Amino acid sequence: MNKIITISRQFGSGGRTIGKEVARELGIPCYDAELIEKIAEESGFAKEYIAENAEYKPHGNWFINAFSTSYASGSGYMNNQDYLWNIQRNIILDIAKKESCVIVGRCADYILKDCEDVECLKVFIHADMEKRAERIVSVYGESDVSPEKRLVDKDKRRSAYYRFYTDMTWGVATNYDISLNSGSLGLEKCEKIITDLYKLEM
Amino acid sequence: MNKIITISRQFGSGGRTIGKEVARELGIPCYDAELIEKIAEESGFAKEYIAENAEYKPHGNWFINAFSTSYASGSGYMNNQDYLWNIQRNIILDIAKKESCVIVGRCADYILKDCEDVECLKVFIHADMEKRAERIVSVYGESDVSPEKRLVDKDKRRSAYYRFYTDMTWGVATNYDISLNSGSLGLEKCEKIITDLYKLEM
């Protein structure tokens, strides 16, 4: 049975880095940017557009956006977001059926929840605002907008996207098998706990 | 510096058992029933009353309860809940300053958050309703009320109590260093993760 580690994470918490390290240590693939590439291939959308819209509620009025563009699908018309959600969902289901791996973000925890023949370890990585602000400045550099404002905006949009498609509250401990504060524990400890669990548990 | 593990837990998640096992493995005391005894000694209240009121919002209208009984204190009059909260808070602060230990429940995570000279590992233990229902029936036995209803009632009152005294939302992953699903991971894995972290991290 394939063993999948899904990593949901607050922006700037280092969740992506943790996912990559865990996958490297376990010798399994990590789907993150690779997922965006697959979605781009299937959908025809640019990778930048997907990175910005396939995990976040868009800027502006979502209600208006939802009706502004529609795509023909098997069952009628869909807006961009729903079209991307469906492609993303199918790609994640295909990957999970194909091989054991780590999947970062993209509501994979929710998408795989009723998937038979797959064993999931659902992880959530978070850190306090101060640690995340330091991290995004060191990883992504400075910008005109303060790091705190960038974090609040990203969290808000990611949380709204998650709630819209899963009807669940993002970041509530009970949604996950394990939630880790990478700010207080450090990235290495988080990686070790997840790797050990995968080896022991699954 | 004293190292304190605080364990917040959903009712029926086995958090108390995990706390005791971790403490035993690490050779440090676990404060749970012992805390109720200390509060009883200091306050003069019966242990049963404390078990029911020093961690849960009481049944009925709390607003009315809050004004129904008052106790003279140094700074004026307090209701039972606030009186117990103050005693509980002081006892937890004293314990933390005295020795490394595990403290189960009673908002210890919040009470110790600004405490200098103490290193805290804040743990939250949860499990899904089905697993918790099984557990409370096997540990506490059947009652006239269904296990699911007992769980919802306890969770609601514990959560209301936590919010009232800490102004934070109970069970949100970001409040803790680590949150574990004892239902999916099993109690032993939870104990191992916490014990290893204590040895490695703190």
Side-chain angles (χ1 to χ4, degrees):
Chain A
M1 191 182 282
N2 291 338
K3 302 171 183 179
I4 316 291
I5 299 173
T6 63
I7 300 200
S8 309
R9 76 292 180 217
Q10 284 187 326
F11 184 59
S13 68
R16 176 183 297 178
T17 307
I18 291 171
K20 279 186 188 158
E21 269 310 298
V22 165
R24 198 189 54 75
E25 174 71 24
L26 294 170
I28 57 176
C30 176
Y31 287 96
D32 172 37
E34 300 75 6
L35 213 54
I36 295 180
E37 271 169 38
K38 276 180 182 279
I39 299 169
E41 272 171 37
E42 289 259 342
S43 68
F45 280 111
K47 283 186 266 184
E48 295 70 23
Y49 182 86
I50 294 162
E52 194 58 20
N53 288 281
E55 195 170 21
Y56 296 101
K57 174 185 173 298
H59 281 293
N61 188 325
W62 204 11
F63 185 75
I64 291 172
N65 286 341
F67 291 95
S68 62
T69 323
S70 16
Y71 278 77
S73 79
S75 58
Y77 283 88
M78 284 188 287
N79 63 58
N80 283 9
Q81 291 276 325
D82 290 344
Y83 177 68
L84 278 179
W85 168 259
N86 277 347
I87 290 177
Q88 174 169 299
R89 187 175 173 279
N90 291 335
I91 289 174
I92 287 172
L93 287 169
D94 282 351
I95 288 171
K97 279 176 197 153
K98 203 182 75 185
E99 60 189 346
S100 294
C101 62
V102 175
I103 304 176
V104 179
R106 296 173 196 289
C107 307
D109 54 324
Y110 175 79
I111 290 169
L112 297 175
K113 82 183 166 63
D114 298 320
C115 189
E116 286 170 13
D117 310 324
V118 159
E119 213 170 337
C120 255
L121 180 71
K122 293 179 285 177
V123 180
F124 181 65
I125 306 288
H126 56 90
D128 64 30
M129 188 61 91
E130 201 183 324
K131 286 272 167 59
R132 295 196 287 141
E134 270 173 38
R135 189 172 167 84
I136 65 164
V137 169
S138 83
V139 174
Y140 305 104
E142 297 273 3
S143 93
D144 293 344
V145 184
S146 78
E148 287 78 11
K149 205 168 170 330
R150 286 155 73 191
L151 287 168
V152 169
D153 177 63
K154 284 266 190 184
D155 283 350
K156 210 188 267 180
R157 290 170 57 217
R158 204 175 267 178
S159 158
Y161 182 88
Y162 190 83
R163 177 179 284 277
F164 186 81
Y165 283 108
T166 71
D167 209 17
M168 282 155 62
T169 307
W170 189 66
V172 168
T174 50
N175 296 347
Y176 309 96
D177 296 310
I178 180 165
S179 303
L180 298 165
N181 183 337
S182 62
S184 63
L185 302 174
L187 267 61
E188 293 74 17
K189 295 281 181 333
C190 296
E191 289 156 19
K192 185 171 164 28
I193 292 170
I194 301 166
T195 310
D196 286 353
L197 257 182
Y198 183 94
K199 287 179 185 164
L200 277 170
E201 172 73 15
M202 300 174 77
Chain B
M1 191 181 282
N2 290 341
K3 302 170 179 180
I4 316 291
I5 300 175
T6 64
I7 300 200
S8 308
R9 76 290 180 217
Q10 285 187 325
F11 184 58
S13 68
R16 177 182 297 180
T17 307
I18 292 171
K20 278 185 189 160
E21 270 309 299
V22 166
R24 199 189 53 76
E25 175 70 25
L26 295 170
I28 56 176
C30 175
Y31 287 97
D32 174 35
E34 298 76 5
L35 213 52
I36 295 181
E37 272 169 37
K38 275 180 182 282
I39 299 169
E41 273 170 39
E42 289 258 341
S43 68
F45 280 112
K47 282 186 267 183
E48 296 70 25
Y49 182 86
I50 294 161
E52 195 58 20
N53 287 282
E55 195 169 23
Y56 297 102
K57 174 184 173 300
H59 281 293
N61 189 325
W62 205 11
F63 185 73
I64 290 172
N65 286 341
F67 290 94
S68 62
T69 324
S70 12
Y71 278 78
S73 80
S75 57
Y77 283 88
M78 284 188 286
N79 63 58
N80 284 7
Q81 291 275 323
D82 290 345
Y83 177 67
L84 279 178
W85 168 260
N86 276 347
I87 290 178
Q88 172 169 300
R89 187 175 173 279
N90 290 335
I91 288 174
I92 288 173
L93 287 169
D94 281 351
I95 288 170
K97 279 176 197 154
K98 201 181 77 184
E99 59 189 344
S100 293
C101 61
V102 175
I103 303 176
V104 178
R106 298 175 194 286
C107 306
D109 54 325
Y110 175 79
I111 291 169
L112 296 176
K113 79 181 169 59
D114 298 320
C115 188
E116 286 171 12
D117 309 325
V118 160
E119 213 169 336
C120 256
L121 181 70
K122 292 178 285 177
V123 180
F124 181 65
I125 306 288
H126 57 91
D128 64 29
M129 187 61 89
E130 203 183 323
K131 285 271 168 59
R132 294 196 288 141
E134 270 172 39
R135 190 173 166 83
I136 64 164
V137 169
S138 84
V139 174
Y140 305 102
E142 297 275 3
S143 92
D144 293 344
V145 184
S146 77
E148 288 77 10
K149 207 170 167 325
R150 285 155 71 192
L151 287 168
V152 168
D153 176 64
K154 283 267 192 186
D155 283 350
K156 209 187 266 179
R157 290 170 55 216
R158 205 175 267 179
S159 156
Y161 182 88
Y162 191 83
R163 179 180 283 278
F164 185 81
Y165 283 108
T166 71
D167 210 17
M168 283 156 61
T169 306
W170 190 66
V172 168
T174 48
N175 296 347
Y176 309 98
D177 296 310
I178 179 164
S179 304
L180 296 164
N181 183 337
S182 61
S184 64
L185 301 175
L187 267 61
E188 292 73 18
K189 294 283 180 332
C190 295
E191 288 156 19
K192 188 173 161 28
I193 292 170
I194 301 166
T195 310
D196 286 355
L197 256 184
Y198 184 93
K199 287 178 185 164
L200 276 169
E201 172 73 16
M202 299 174 80

